[in-house]
Amino acid sequence: MTTPDNLDQRVRDSFAQIKVPDELNQATLAFIREYGEKQPAIKVQTRRTARPWLALAACLLVIATLVGGYSLWTRPTALLDIDVNPSISLEVNCFNYVIAATPLNDDAQSVLDQTPVVGKSCEAALEALAQSPALTIYSGGDALAEISVASDNEAQSNQLCDLAQDTFAPLFAQVSPTHVTFDEMQTAHGHRMGAGKYRAACLLMELDGTATFESCAEMSVSEIHSCINECQHGEGHGRHNGQGQGQGQGQGQGHGRHRQAS
């Protein structure tokens, strides 16, 4: 027979094995604290004669609630891709907090190294990115940004698209939010780009047979759309093979333009 003391020790041992990143701990505590402050005060009367099993049942209920809440906290319900030249993918939970951030290319790695976003609300994370010098060097002028959101929750998907649109609109000539599927996003990430940039690359490859995912991954969103416009007007065909002079010039000019605009 398992005594209350033995069960209590087993629960303690089980939880002692759980390792949680510090930033996620801090964000979770902040969320619980904020949630608790919004709840009405509840007066609880206790009886001195309460039996030990009643206290144990209450503890188990609290543990079950915390475990369920932790599971909800760590489960992504949406993915948000940001493509400029850096391509960043954010995992967002049902509370609209960022629980993971993945750099899809080297420029994105530099941005995330300088701008931590994990554990922040999505609004605070996007604002931090919009204010980060590591990202704003690619803004200004005719710079474009693609925002892609994948979620089974339509309300959350719309909310994240609107939030990203409002946050990045002051920085770029155009911000294009798009709803995509998780499968499409996974395919895009396999080519080291977000889903928005991936869609633009697919269109360019239809117009220019020499364009490849590899060449497009090295280009900014603005450069890809510029090449699309040229192809649609009968110019620039054949500029995007790996050895083409036009591609190298386009990349150099694109990077210089964005950096000078900072």
Side-chain angles (χ1 to χ4, degrees), residues 223 239-255:
E223 290 167 345
R239 293 174 52 195
H240 309 289
N241 58 33
Q243 307 298 323
Q245 180 180 6
Q247 179 191 359
Q249 292 177 344
Q251 291 176 12
Q253 292 172 356
H255 285 290

Side-chain angles (χ1 to χ4, degrees), residues 84-87 104-107 138 191-193 197 201 212-221 223-224 242 247-248 250-252 254-255 258:
V84 184
N85 191 31
S87 290
L104 301 176
N105 56 16
D106 292 340
D107 290 332
Y138 300 98
H191 293 292
R192 300 188 299 117
M193 60 183 80
K197 186 174 180 179
T212 64
F213 285 124
E214 289 75 15
S215 64
C216 290
E218 300 300 325
M219 302 166 68
S220 70
V221 171
E223 290 167 345
I224 294 176
Q247 179 191 359
Q251 291 176 12
H255 285 290
H258 296 317

Side-chain angles (χ1 to χ4, degrees), residues 148-246:
S148 311
V149 177
S151 177
D152 292 330
N153 185 320
E154 183 178 356
Q156 184 182 35
S157 182
N158 290 333
Q159 184 179 6
L160 293 178
C161 278
D162 291 344
L163 181 60
Q165 169 78 40
D166 293 342
T167 302
F168 292 115
L171 297 176
F172 299 98
Q174 181 177 334
V175 178
S176 302
T178 308
H179 301 277
V180 301
T181 65
F182 287 109
D183 287 342
E184 184 176 9
M185 196 166 275
Q186 182 178 9
T187 300
H189 294 177
H191 293 292
R192 300 188 299 117
M193 60 183 80
K197 186 174 180 179
Y198 170 78
R199 285 189 171 188
C202 288
L203 176 56
L204 178 58
M205 290 167 62
E206 290 180 4
L207 298 171
D208 184 347
T210 65
T212 64
F213 285 124
E214 289 75 15
S215 64
C216 290
E218 300 300 325
M219 302 166 68
S220 70
V221 171
S222 300
E223 290 167 345
I224 294 176
H225 280 282
S226 177
C227 292
I228 289 172
N229 290 334
E230 291 178 0
C231 289
Q232 289 175 335
H233 290 83
E235 303 172 2
H237 181 76
R239 293 174 52 195
H240 309 289
N241 58 33
Q243 307 298 323
Q245 180 180 6

Side-chain angles (χ1 to χ4, degrees), residues 51-75:
R51 298 178 180 178
W53 64 264
L54 185 59
L56 178 60
C59 289
L60 292 176
L61 179 61
V62 170
I63 290 172
T65 302
L66 289 175
V67 171
Y70 180 75
S71 177
L72 286 175
W73 181 268
T74 57
R75 182 186 307 133

Side-chain angles (χ1 to χ4, degrees), residues 78-100:
L79 297 179
L80 190 157
D81 285 355
I82 303 165
D83 285 303
V84 184
N85 191 31
S87 290
I88 298 170
S89 183
L90 304 179
E91 293 184 21
V92 183
N93 65 17
C94 62
F95 304 108
N96 275 354
Y97 272 71
V98 176
I99 58 175

Side-chain angles (χ1 to χ4, degrees), residues 29-41:
L29 290 173
F31 178 81
I32 294 173
R33 189 180 302 113
E34 180 182 354
Y35 180 81
E37 291 173 352
K38 295 178 180 179
Q39 305 308 305

